[in-house]
Amino acid sequence: MNINIKNVGKTKLYYFNKTDSTNTKARNFARNGCAEFTTVAALEQTDGKGRLGRSFYSKKGGVYFSVVLRPDFSCEDVLFITVAAAVSVCRIIEKYSDKKCQIKWVNDIYINSKKVCGILTEGEFGENQKFNFAVLGVGINLFAPKGDFPAELPLADSVFEKSDSSVFSKRFKKRIIKDFLNEFALLYKNFDKKDFVLEYADRSFLNGKTITYVKCGVECTAKVLGIDSNAGLVVETNGKTETLHHGEIQIVGMEQLPV
Ligand code: BTN
């Protein structure tokens, strides 16, 4: 269907009841030359993809969507697509609920110390480190699935309670997607300034927490000091300050299972 979004203009939204992965579908559309901001959404995914080759739990109850982008900036800035998307998701969730959203570096949205959303940006690059396109995928757990989240995902949670039936419809999910596109487009169109990084840093879930990460094969323990202007995670380890730009971190004292 065609949708009209203030900050985007006319774009196409393909909305499936069930698909394997909206990122995979969007990537195929992108390879076939679809317009920027073409969006693929689903009520359920059978092969939802997460970071680092993990799968993303995608049963009914969530909203799963992927947006095709054709960035004109260098591939080095790919991280900032996720950063802008994380800020946009927080704003939209807070528009429709009374919950406060935090961002767990790099790509997870947390409410009350539980994960309610994951973001996966995948880029395809051509010559000169330029993007052919990027696919921005967002999965928000609006409601817990029937029978609740599986026991292997103790950190997963939903934005709304089952009793909030007014926001359960497919129409509401479409509204969330449209509002997200509108909010994200605003940041994306002024990408050079990257002023959204400030809000990303303000929303950091990790500040003050002790984390572990692996560097050159060695496990390091550090205290998180904050997020810098390049969206790097600034940590203190053995009395020294260090900035992490990518990779996996674990929070000490929280269950170490993926969500
Ligand atoms: C993560 O938590 O590691 C990232 C999860 C990203 C999930 C979204 S859901 C929509 C899109 N399609 C996918 O297969 N993955 C992303």
Side-chain angles (χ1 to χ4, degrees):
M1 71 184 88
N2 286 316
I3 51 170
N4 203 4
I5 295 165
K6 200 169 71 188
N7 293 323
V8 176
K10 273 210 172 70
T11 189
K12 278 208 154 45
L13 170 65
Y14 298 88
Y15 205 158
F16 297 92
N17 283 333
K18 198 190 236 187
T19 190
D20 50 355
S21 155
T22 57
N23 263 34
T24 306
K25 282 258 176 320
R27 189 187 319 127
N28 290 336
F29 281 121
R31 285 183 181 152
N32 287 318
C34 74
E36 183 162 63
F37 278 104
T38 297
T39 300
V40 182
L43 296 178
E44 194 174 352
Q45 299 184 115
T46 53
D47 188 22
K49 304 206 179 306
R51 272 182 83 224
L52 308 170
R54 293 187 187 128
S55 62
F56 184 74
Y57 185 83
S58 311
K59 294 275 188 240
K60 269 189 196 150
V63 59
Y64 313 104
F65 59 94
S66 302
V67 187
V68 173
L69 300 171
R70 299 196 176 278
D72 59 6
F73 43 80
S74 138
C75 66
E76 281 161 19
D77 277 351
V78 65
L79 169 72
F80 293 98
I81 296 177
T82 299
V83 170
V87 168
S88 306
V89 168
C90 290
R91 290 181 185 175
I92 298 307
I93 291 178
E94 288 176 3
K95 175 174 168 185
Y96 289 104
S97 77
D98 55 3
K99 313 268 173 71
K100 171 90 188 97
C101 289
Q102 290 186 293
I103 300 167
K104 175 177 166 278
W105 185 85
V106 186
N107 65 324
D108 293 336
I109 309 302
Y110 271 48
I111 292 177
N112 295 329
S113 303
K114 295 273 183 116
K115 176 168 168 174
V116 297
C117 168
I119 298 169
L120 175 67
T121 307
E122 299 180 293
E124 268 199 18
F125 307 102
E127 285 167 19
N128 309 326
Q129 308 284 67
K130 285 269 187 197
F131 280 97
N132 288 337
F133 61 83
V135 169
L136 162 63
V138 178
I140 310 175
N141 304 331
L142 293 178
F143 293 92
K146 223 176 179 174
D148 217 341
F149 292 99
E152 316 86 83
L153 302 178
L155 292 180
D157 204 357
S158 59
V159 176
F160 298 105
E161 308 301 320
K162 274 270 160 32
S163 52
D164 298 326
S165 55
S166 62
V167 290
F168 197 64
S169 66
K170 188 169 177 180
R171 183 144 34 108
F172 174 69
K173 291 178 182 170
K174 192 171 143 200
R175 181 141 39 109
I176 295 265
I177 296 168
K178 284 177 76 169
D179 280 1
F180 170 84
L181 289 175
N182 204 31
E183 198 70 44
F184 175 77
L186 208 61
L187 307 183
Y188 182 69
K189 293 202 162 142
N190 295 300
F191 212 70
D192 287 354
K193 287 198 225 137
K194 299 193 178 61
D195 40 14
F196 47 84
V197 179
L198 268 182
E199 183 173 335
Y200 182 87
D202 277 352
R203 290 180 178 277
S204 172
F205 172 70
L206 292 179
N207 289 5
K209 296 202 165 43
T210 302
I211 60 161
T212 59
Y213 55 96
V214 175
K215 190 179 164 188
C216 304
V218 178
E219 183 169 280
C220 308
T221 302
K223 188 174 167 196
V224 175
L225 301 178
I227 305 272
D228 74 3
S229 58
N230 287 316
L233 188 71
V234 185
V235 300
E236 188 183 280
T237 176
N238 296 328
K240 278 192 271 168
T241 302
E242 170 163 31
T243 305
L244 311 182
H245 293 285
H246 49 78
E248 184 67 346
I249 61 105
Q250 302 286 351
I251 305 170
V252 174
M254 275 183 83
E255 285 167 278
Q256 304 295 299
L257 293 162
V259 282

